[in-house]
Amino acid sequence: MVNQVLSGTDEAESPSNTHPIRLLIIGAGSRGNAYAEAVTSSTTAVIAGVAEPITFKREALGKKYIWYNGHRQDDQEFEGWKAFLEHEITRRKRVEAGESETVLPGFDGLFVCTPDDTHVEIITALAPLGMHIMSEKPLATTLTDCLRIYRSLKPPSPDQLRAVFSIGHVLRYSPHNMLLRKLLLEDGIIGDVISIEHTEPVGWWHFSHSYVRGNWRKESTTAPSLLTKSCHDIDFVLWLLCSTSASAKDLPHLPTWVSSTGCLSFFKKSRKPPLAKEATNCLSCPIENTCIYSAKKIYDEHNLAKGVVDWPVNVVEAEIEDCLATQGMPSAETKLLKRLAEDYDDNTSQEEIDSRPWFGRCVWESDNDVCDDQLVTMTWDEESSDRNGSSCIRGRGSKTASIHMIAFTEKQCERRGRIYGTQGEIEYDGKMIRVYDFATREAKTFYPSQPGGGHGGGDRGLAQQFVTAMSTVRDGLMSVAEAQKVHIGCTLEDAIRSHAMVFAAEEARRNRRVVDWKEWWALNVEAMMG
């Protein structure tokens, strides 16, 4: 009976289809708020509901994006995704019973922005609803869970796709990267690509915030940093190099080999300054005033004291903005420092230690183990147009790619790189693209638009494409499969491939070997896709 209810549709209750696309945000943390802002500022859709177990976070997002006048409706907030699922099942039963006129409208799509390891439970439970879903990256924290999600969303055949699916690979959707891809694949501005060097500069204090003290510090409780931080960098490179044209009509040109090296090089006890002695928390450390990783400096002096109350300060203390507004700066600083003073010792249970971040913890005394420096190398073999190998297919020549994730940088998540081609060279960062032409010996620099929002406009770009895809399906202008291809530009299979590449690279790093990609894919992915 539940499956019958879940598979129902709402066509009868919205015959005119004139209402704006209605979206539910599941998870009101940093990314949930980022997508709410992106939808609100750059699309005609509305954030119509929020599902979040933490009351303060739920109400903060609701006040900002949903119930502007303070009046709330029953379907605008839920104490978690399970409460929403129960509500939706009941709502659909009432529609089926002929109560359409008295039933509140449903949601057209969902943004899943909860902790990474919860995605699999949420998406597989909500998949039978047949609603459009955008999942924040990574899709899941293990290959097994990624494939569970794949099987829950996979239609019996491609033309029977029921709903649009998008993954938070926002690098695909920034004006900068869309232009870069056009120059490479459509214009062929540097000829065939021979090699790409791509760097993800995490940022020295950003890494300490998220991957030493924060939620993503341990593989055992989250996943490798290559997955949690750089899976969309892997996707970005595959997006550029696996396609033989901008339209991507041909089968992808897939890598042959993948290898990786890297380790936790600096944020560990062996690198702790001797003058810090036995201190485990910044607020009790004898060298706090000179340490660049001082939590007091990072969160208070360089952020809160300057009036910054959003990320990263509100990740440390969720109620900091409200405290500053109602009680003033002294009270806000006291509240922040109290949170930073929290620490653990030998008497603290492992369960408690693992359950939360410790933002005041010494970066050399934390329990982190994820890589702070990692290099991934991918190699493509040439594919020829005849059996004798005498004619290379355009775009399918041999090539290499290196992706470098590094913590110790001035720039923070402002990707940069070089692409070497047969007719020229490209240099890029988050703001410009410089093309050098071998024939003319001249360079031309492009400055793509910077629309604002996160990831160089990628957050807004993804939101726009997701909303457009839903709208065209709802209005009968495209099938789901067409909207997925034209507006999302990333299939569920593409998402699985880029995640699988991360897991293959990690296997290569741990085992210190070169992985045969096609063999690895056949054994670990293809056989399990169902």
Side-chain angles (χ1 to χ4, degrees):
M1 178 63 181
V2 171
N3 286 335
Q4 292 176 347
V5 172
L6 291 180
S7 61
T9 63
D10 290 345
E11 293 177 0
E13 62 183 294
S14 55
S16 64
N17 284 337
T18 58
H19 65 79
I21 292 292
R22 290 166 49 82
L23 297 167
L24 174 72
I25 300 289
I26 302 178
S30 296
R31 293 307 293 159
N33 275 272
Y35 286 120
E37 188 281 330
V39 168
T40 303
S41 65
S42 63
T43 80
T44 58
V46 296
I47 304 301
V50 56
E52 166 60 56
I54 299 175
T55 302
F56 182 85
K57 290 185 177 182
R58 184 174 68 248
E59 292 188 348
L61 188 145
K63 289 176 183 177
K64 193 169 185 179
Y65 299 107
I66 305 172
W67 48 82
Y68 303 101
N69 58 6
H71 176 67
R72 312 182 195 185
Q73 295 180 347
D74 292 340
D75 67 335
Q76 290 182 329
E77 60 173 329
F78 307 94
E79 294 181 354
W81 68 270
K82 290 182 180 179
F84 159 70
L85 178 58
E86 182 178 351
H87 162 87
E88 183 62 12
I89 292 174
T90 302
R91 193 189 68 80
R92 293 191 182 193
K93 286 181 179 178
R94 292 182 62 193
V95 171
E96 290 183 355
E99 302 178 34
S100 297
E101 293 184 1
T102 59
V103 175
L104 293 170
F107 298 94
D108 298 292
L110 317 169
F111 279 83
V112 178
C113 306
T114 56
D116 304 335
D117 61 345
T118 66
H119 292 180
V120 62
E121 181 184 14
I122 295 171
I123 295 174
T124 54
L126 298 183
L129 291 173
M131 300 174 71
H132 307 297
I133 296 175
M134 202 304 295
S135 172
E136 173 60 334
K137 64 85 184 171
L139 184 59
T141 56
T142 67
L143 180 59
T144 298
D145 284 348
C146 286
L147 292 172
R148 281 184 60 196
I149 292 174
Y150 173 85
R151 291 191 295 269
S152 74
L153 296 172
K154 180 186 177 184
S157 63
D159 61 342
Q160 292 179 295
L161 195 63
R162 293 181 59 206
V164 171
F165 175 80
S166 182
I167 183 73
H169 286 153
V170 291
L171 297 185
R172 288 176 176 241
Y173 302 96
S174 72
H176 176 282
N177 293 338
M178 292 174 73
L179 175 60
L180 177 61
R181 189 170 188 264
K182 176 183 180 295
L183 293 172
L184 278 177
L185 301 182
E186 187 174 318
D187 301 346
I189 201 165
I190 60 169
D192 282 350
V193 174
I194 299 298
S195 187
I196 180 172
E197 300 169 355
H198 176 80
T199 298
E200 151 71 301
V202 183
W204 61 277
W205 72 261
H206 176 205
F207 192 92
S208 72
H209 167 76
S210 296
Y211 303 95
V212 178
R213 294 163 165 154
N215 288 323
W216 295 278
R217 66 187 186 271
K218 292 179 68 174
E219 288 191 24
S220 61
T221 56
T222 54
S225 53
L226 186 67
L227 181 72
T228 58
K229 185 69 188 84
S230 297
C231 66
H232 53 179
D233 294 274
I234 297 287
D235 177 76
F236 170 71
V237 170
L238 293 177
W239 180 56
L240 293 180
L241 297 190
C242 287
S243 300
T244 55
S245 65
S247 60
K249 292 180 180 179
D250 301 325
L251 292 175
H253 184 206
L254 300 176
T256 308
W257 308 98
V258 58
S259 62
S260 181
T261 58
C263 63
L264 175 62
S265 60
F266 182 66
F267 296 107
K268 52 187 179 180
K269 194 164 186 175
S270 63
R271 305 299 291 268
K272 184 179 181 180
L275 293 177
K277 299 181 180 179
E278 300 302 314
T280 61
N281 185 278
C282 290
L283 301 193
S284 59
C285 179
I287 63 169
E288 180 277 322
N289 63 336
T290 60
C291 179
I292 62 172
Y293 292 102
S294 159
K296 183 178 179 181
K297 284 190 178 71
I298 291 173
Y299 300 113
D300 186 5
E301 295 175 19
H302 293 294
N303 280 285
L304 179 59
K306 297 179 180 180
V308 176
V309 291
D310 53 10
W311 188 91
V313 183
N314 63 357
V315 177
V316 179
E317 174 49 67
E319 300 181 14
I320 197 70
E321 183 176 5
D322 183 66
C323 180
L324 179 62
T326 58
Q327 301 177 44
M329 182 62 77
S331 294
E333 287 189 325
T334 298
K335 192 175 188 67
L336 176 65
L337 292 177
K338 181 179 179 181
R339 182 71 70 186
L340 293 177
E342 295 173 350
D343 202 359
Y344 57 85
D345 56 27
D346 293 340
N347 297 317
T348 310
S349 70
Q350 192 63 49
E351 182 180 5
E352 182 180 355
I353 295 171
D354 290 344
S355 68
R356 50 159 295 185
W358 302 85
F359 290 112
R361 186 79 179 181
C362 171
V363 295
W364 297 286
E365 290 280 359
S366 187
D367 59 346
N368 57 299
D369 59 13
V370 298
C371 292
D372 54 22
D373 179 21
Q374 185 167 359
L375 182 69
V376 176
T377 303
M378 293 182 281
T379 303
W380 282 255
D381 284 346
E382 179 181 296
E383 292 185 3
S384 302
S385 59
D386 57 48
R387 294 182 179 180
N388 297 323
S390 60
S391 179
C392 174
I393 302 174
R394 184 180 182 277
R396 292 180 177 271
S398 57
K399 52 199 173 190
T400 61
S402 64
I403 300 99
H404 188 195
M405 180 198 70
I406 178 69
F408 310 97
T409 61
E410 173 192 2
K411 297 293 185 181
Q412 183 172 293
C413 305
E414 295 182 24
R415 277 83 176 174
R416 57 179 179 254
R418 289 181 179 270
I419 306 174
Y420 306 98
T422 55
Q423 298 174 24
E425 177 183 348
I426 289 178
E427 177 186 0
Y428 65 88
D429 60 21
K431 297 178 181 179
M432 69 86 189
I433 301 170
R434 181 181 181 273
V435 180
Y436 179 80
D437 187 300
F438 294 162
T440 65
R441 301 192 179 189
E442 294 179 349
K444 182 178 181 179
T445 302
F446 300 83
Y447 295 94
S449 64
Q450 299 285 320
H455 297 94
D459 289 359
R460 293 183 181 180
L462 187 153
Q464 290 165 3
Q465 295 306 109
F466 186 51
V467 169
T468 300
M470 287 186 285
S471 298
T472 57
V473 170
R474 183 197 64 182
D475 297 340
L477 301 176
M478 287 185 178
S479 68
V480 173
E482 288 173 323
Q484 182 80 38
K485 180 179 180 180
V486 172
H487 296 300
I488 303 301
C490 178
T491 66
L492 184 57
E493 288 76 12
D494 292 334
I496 292 297
R497 183 183 297 116
S498 59
H499 281 72
M501 182 60 74
V502 174
F503 293 114
E506 274 298 292
E507 183 174 312
R509 182 184 69 86
R510 290 194 305 270
N511 296 333
R512 299 188 177 188
R513 71 183 184 92
V514 177
V515 168
D516 182 317
W517 168 248
K518 293 180 181 179
E519 181 182 286
W520 189 94
W521 173 269
L523 179 64
N524 294 281
V525 182
E526 197 168 47
M528 309 300 292
M529 293 180 84

